[in-house]
Amino acid sequence: MPRGPPLSDIEKGQILALHYQLTSLRDISKELGRSVGAIQRFLKNPSRTSRARAHVTGEKLTVRQEKAMIRKASTGNFSAQDLKDLGLPVGARRIQQNLSATPHLKYTKMTTAPMMTALHRENRVKWVRRIIGKGDHFWNKVIFSDEKKFNLDGPDVNACYWHDLRKDERFFSKRQNGGASVMVWGGISPYGVSPMVFLNGNQDSRKYCATLDQALLPFAAEMYGEMAIGFTSKIGLYP
């Protein structure tokens, strides 16, 4: 529902007077014939000046422009801002509203990997419940480590687009050959952080164990000393 006209100075004074008399917002709304939301917004910040209305020019998309806009959006290659830059006479917000009202369009994130299954979620909850009650004596001996890949030709995720429901779902495009990346490994503990290790080539179980042997174990020994002997014997106990 569009907003009504801005509150006049007289209405603002009446709202403040009634509010100081502990009149409810609903009763003020009935008294002045204004919405509860408008009154609430004013009382939240009485000193705020009214913002200029959007699309004050009153320009609208022609039928031809709207069809062209929907046709371009359905390719999945244009955001609302991209479409605005093509010379449409309305703002990006109005373009988003028009596209959202189109039955066969849906703004969604590109799929990059299979979704987490119900079994995955169940196993993670079980793991958390098993260790959540452990105290500082346990956590002070824990080292968290992980690896991260950085692509040089674009991100892995967060690529969104306007999906035409009449077409096949799009996937984030990755280069099969070329477009280099770099993978790094690191660990943290309550007593410090490990050196950053740059990993070469595709990582398998053998290379991962080599990383633990050459990076994690020396880091654990440096942080915990002799206590690290008992700690390293339990690697992999808590996945």
Side-chain angles (χ1 to χ4, degrees):
M1 179 182 295
R3 291 185 179 181
L7 294 171
S8 66
D9 291 339
I10 295 177
E11 287 176 320
K12 292 177 181 179
Q14 290 174 324
I15 291 173
L16 290 175
L18 292 171
H19 181 62
Y20 291 150
Q21 296 174 8
L22 303 181
T23 306
S24 69
L25 295 181
R26 188 175 298 276
D27 289 339
I28 297 176
S29 172
K30 292 180 180 179
E31 178 74 19
L32 301 182
R34 303 304 296 261
S35 69
V36 173
I39 297 169
Q40 196 171 33
R41 284 190 295 271
F42 169 69
L43 291 175
K44 186 175 181 180
N45 186 7
S47 62
R48 185 185 65 178
T49 57
S50 299
R51 295 183 297 176
R53 285 174 167 270
H55 315 300
V56 293
T57 60
E59 293 200 49
K60 298 180 180 179
L61 293 172
T62 64
V63 174
R64 183 175 182 179
Q65 288 173 329
E66 187 169 0
K67 287 182 177 180
M69 175 191 69
I70 293 174
R71 185 167 57 251
K72 288 182 178 295
S74 66
T75 66
N77 298 324
F78 297 89
S79 66
Q81 185 61 49
D82 293 333
L83 294 169
K84 176 181 179 296
D85 293 340
L86 295 177
L88 295 177
V90 295
R93 178 57 180 161
R94 176 59 62 189
I95 292 173
Q96 290 174 338
Q97 292 172 341
N98 286 4
L99 294 178
S100 297
T102 303
H104 61 269
L105 286 180
K106 177 183 178 182
Y107 192 65
T108 186
K109 181 189 293 185
M110 288 190 190
T111 302
T112 57
M115 294 180 61
M116 184 180 294
T117 66
L119 180 61
H120 292 155
R121 292 191 290 269
E122 181 182 351
N123 289 338
R124 281 159 174 75
V125 171
K126 287 181 179 178
W127 180 80
V128 171
R129 287 175 176 170
R130 189 170 77 244
I131 67 170
I132 195 171
K134 296 182 180 294
D136 291 343
H137 178 72
F138 170 82
W139 292 111
N140 286 339
K141 300 177 183 178
V142 172
I143 293 177
F144 291 95
S145 69
D146 202 2
E147 55 277 341
K148 169 66 178 178
K149 184 181 74 169
F150 296 91
N151 293 325
L152 303 184
D153 64 344
D156 278 334
V157 292
N158 295 331
C160 297
Y161 71 111
W162 287 99
H163 173 49
D164 190 332
L165 300 178
R166 302 169 300 180
K167 300 179 181 179
D168 292 337
E169 185 178 1
R170 293 185 61 188
F171 293 85
F172 186 79
S173 177
K174 297 181 180 180
R175 300 182 189 178
Q176 185 172 358
N177 297 304
S181 63
V182 60
M183 182 173 287
V184 298
W185 175 95
I188 60 173
S189 79
Y191 306 106
V193 298
S194 73
M196 185 174 293
V197 179
F198 291 88
L199 308 178
N200 296 320
N202 295 329
Q203 300 298 302
D204 53 21
S205 58
R206 180 180 60 82
K207 289 187 176 181
Y208 181 70
C209 289
T211 300
L212 298 182
D213 182 53
Q214 298 169 14
L216 176 62
L217 301 189
F219 174 62
E222 180 182 355
M223 293 293 103
Y224 299 99
E226 295 182 357
M227 185 174 62
I229 298 175
F231 166 78
T232 54
S233 66
K234 298 181 180 180
I235 292 177
L237 181 59
Y238 301 99

